[in-house]
Amino acid sequence: MRAAAGGPHEAGGSHISGGERLVPPSEVEFRVQELVRRALLHEKGEPDFLCVTVERVPQEAVRSLSALPISKRDVRDLEEGRSVAVEILAEAGISREAALRAVAWLAQGPAPDGGAMRGAIVMDADTGERLESDPARGVRVSRIDWHPDELPAWQDEVRHLGIANERVAEALALATKVVQTPGTVAELCWSDDPGYVTGYVASKRHGYVRIPFLKERGSPLGGRVFFVRGISTVEEYETALQTPVLLRREEKKRHDV
Ligand code: PML
């Protein structure tokens, strides 16, 4: 699902909401309804363009991945949050220059109109150069969801941490897939939802590290940056981000939140 205001995305509309589900045929109708409701009730405002695509994915094409371990870094404010994000990215092998550029892009609004993008920035992990061919669209991760038997169990495991919600479940699923996609070194994300200021850095080395302040409350700016090294083309990289994946719980429990 993707929703925009001021016309379709491809005609310059600004991004309001997006979402992906990978479900059995019996759940399609209900899940589509949920996604449409999400778009219509979004904090960023009412969309005037809403596109829902439903496609069949053969079961044998679906891979299973184990969720990244979750941890949290306590920070006092936005400045500390961003500096911790840069520090973790540097530890993960991203040049400081690229990490700082990524933070600056998300803070200033990475789309050409100064708003949020529909998809993610793809950034060279060494030079900080943006590689996506369409800077309004970016690249999209699709065909991703939790294994139906695993999500309730994961929610039970993390309920005491206050993160057993759809937003964190979706973000963790996406980050896990992105980090396991060949060419990815790390990901930086904070929401473009004005009321949500927590973001994360994800990498194979650190897992999914939540940072409670990465933006100003009330700001509609945010998004995702995928730091890459050694990919042949962004198109091939995006194709890999769209192979079907269902998420399982982390194999070895380490919820140090
Ligand atoms: C989003 O909702 O747009 C991204 C959410 C990122 C943070 C999720 C979390 O709290 O771990």
Side-chain angles (χ1 to χ4, degrees):
M1 175 280 290
R2 59 188 175 97
H9 297 94
E10 44 280 24
S14 58
H15 182 63
I16 296 273
S17 173
E20 291 283 338
R21 302 304 311 256
L22 185 56
V23 297
S26 58
E27 281 189 34
V28 168
E29 192 179 345
F30 172 62
R31 299 300 176 191
V32 166
Q33 249 179 41
E34 267 184 348
L35 288 169
V36 170
R37 186 173 313 124
R38 176 193 294 190
L40 294 178
L41 300 178
H42 204 277
E43 270 194 55
K44 282 170 89 176
E46 203 174 285
D48 49 28
F49 170 82
L50 179 50
C51 174
V52 180
T53 308
V54 180
E55 61 170 3
R56 183 182 298 278
V57 172
Q59 202 155 1
E60 55 283 8
V62 180
R63 266 184 315 142
S64 198
L65 287 180
S66 298
L68 292 172
I70 304 182
S71 61
K72 187 171 114 186
R73 286 286 296 265
D74 280 320
V75 295
R76 284 179 305 262
D77 52 28
L78 156 72
E79 283 71 35
E80 193 183 352
R82 289 183 182 171
S83 102
V84 163
V86 170
E87 180 196 307
I88 301 170
L89 287 167
E91 279 175 17
I94 310 301
S95 76
R96 201 158 276 276
E97 161 82 10
L100 289 168
R101 277 204 205 183
V103 168
W105 273 119
L106 294 189
Q108 79 183 52
D113 66 356
M117 290 162 68
R118 201 163 109 211
I121 292 175
V122 181
M123 182 170 281
D124 185 299
D126 299 307
T127 64
E129 188 192 346
R130 280 179 68 169
L131 304 174
E132 71 281 2
S133 49
D134 178 347
R137 176 181 175 275
V139 299
R140 299 268 305 164
V141 181
S142 61
R143 304 184 186 98
I144 171 85
D145 212 328
W146 277 82
H147 193 284
D149 304 335
E150 297 273 319
L151 183 57
W154 176 79
Q155 284 172 328
D156 286 346
E157 270 177 27
V158 300
R159 186 153 289 116
H160 68 289
L161 304 169
I163 57 170
N165 57 58
E166 202 172 57
R167 185 191 296 272
V168 179
E170 279 185 17
L172 177 61
L174 186 142
T176 300
K177 185 177 186 186
V178 170
V179 162
Q180 307 286 348
T181 299
T184 307
V185 187
E187 179 194 350
L188 167 68
C189 165
W190 71 76
S191 182
D192 56 13
D193 182 338
Y196 200 79
V197 297
T198 299
Y200 66 85
V201 173
S203 71
K204 274 200 188 126
R205 171 166 170 192
H206 298 90
Y208 180 96
V209 186
R210 305 182 67 233
I211 302 175
F213 301 107
L214 275 177
K215 63 179 273 189
E216 280 139 24
R217 191 164 292 281
S219 164
L221 300 176
R224 292 187 153 86
V225 181
F226 303 160
F227 297 91
V228 297
R229 186 173 286 129
I231 60 168
S232 44
T233 64
V234 175
E235 290 67 32
E236 267 180 40
Y237 178 63
E238 186 169 27
T239 302
L241 291 171
Q242 298 187 345
T243 54
V245 161
L246 285 178
L247 206 71
R248 296 194 171 276
R249 277 170 300 157
E250 183 197 348
E251 257 148 34
K252 184 171 69 65
K253 265 186 69 191
R254 179 156 65 84
H255 292 299
D256 174 23
V257 181

